[in-house]
Amino acid sequence: MKTARQLLAAKAKHETISVTPTASVYQALQMMADANIGAILVMEGEKLVGIFSERDYARKVVLMGKTSAGTPVSDIMTHKLLCVPPNATTDECMGLMTEKRIRHLPVLDGDKVLGILSIGDLVHEKMADQEFTIDQMAHYIYDQRLPSAH
């Protein structure tokens, strides 16, 4: 089973994209659209202070009658973060995301941000792992059916 660090290393786009808390919601949305991502880390220098997601936008801007250009990310970002260490397993990450109903999980080594995993990253890895297991089982069954060379 892979760890969060291994999953981050295997991601095609390993670059961590972030905004400052003072950035407008519009700026954050533009960066997310450009990178084709559903959430962005909110950083003050090297310190992770929050996460902003499409869900935050839908619930805290659109439904509250705010404007994306006039609202800073800090007003609507999720402040209470769930994070995992780099040695967290795929199953641990998936379990946490399922239990807490979140779609994005920052990976921190101490206070240092290593990246962010999405539920899609974890599902992709789980499917690849299952395909590998099925392939191994199929080879085992096939090998058992071959006549012995004795």
Side-chain angles (χ1 to χ4, degrees):
M1 184 173 311
K2 287 188 179 173
T3 64
R5 183 187 307 273
Q6 290 169 319
L7 290 176
L8 287 174
K11 284 178 75 162
K13 292 182 189 177
H14 182 55
E15 176 188 2
T16 302
I17 299 171
S18 65
V19 294
T20 65
T22 58
S24 72
V25 167
Y26 182 85
Q27 290 169 314
L29 289 170
Q30 186 65 57
M31 291 176 72
M32 290 163 58
D34 291 347
N36 195 29
I37 56 176
I40 192 165
L41 298 178
V42 183
M43 307 279 292
E44 280 184 339
E46 296 293 313
K47 183 180 181 201
L48 178 63
V49 295
I51 190 168
F52 171 71
S53 69
E54 293 167 335
R55 184 183 284 181
D56 291 323
Y57 174 70
R59 294 181 182 178
K60 299 173 187 172
V61 174
V62 176
L63 291 178
M64 303 299 247
K66 297 179 181 182
T67 65
S68 57
T71 305
V73 171
S74 60
D75 283 3
I76 64 164
M77 69 184 185
T78 300
H79 296 270
K80 188 177 179 183
L81 296 174
L82 293 171
C83 303
V84 294
N87 63 341
T89 66
T90 303
D91 283 349
E92 290 169 338
C93 293
M94 189 171 271
L96 180 62
M97 292 173 93
T98 302
E99 177 187 337
K100 300 298 182 179
R101 300 179 57 84
I102 60 174
R103 297 178 185 151
H104 301 90
L105 195 56
V107 180
L108 272 63
D109 190 359
D111 288 337
K112 181 177 171 33
V113 175
L114 299 182
I116 185 168
L117 293 174
S118 71
I119 192 71
D121 296 331
L122 295 166
V123 168
H124 181 267
E125 177 57 32
K126 197 73 167 162
M127 289 174 58
D129 190 44
Q130 288 175 346
E131 286 176 23
F132 176 78
T133 300
I134 290 168
D135 188 49
Q136 292 297 308
M137 291 173 69
H139 279 94
Y140 175 78
I141 292 167
Y142 178 78
D143 289 347
Q144 294 301 311
R145 290 182 156 180
L146 290 177
S148 188
H150 296 44

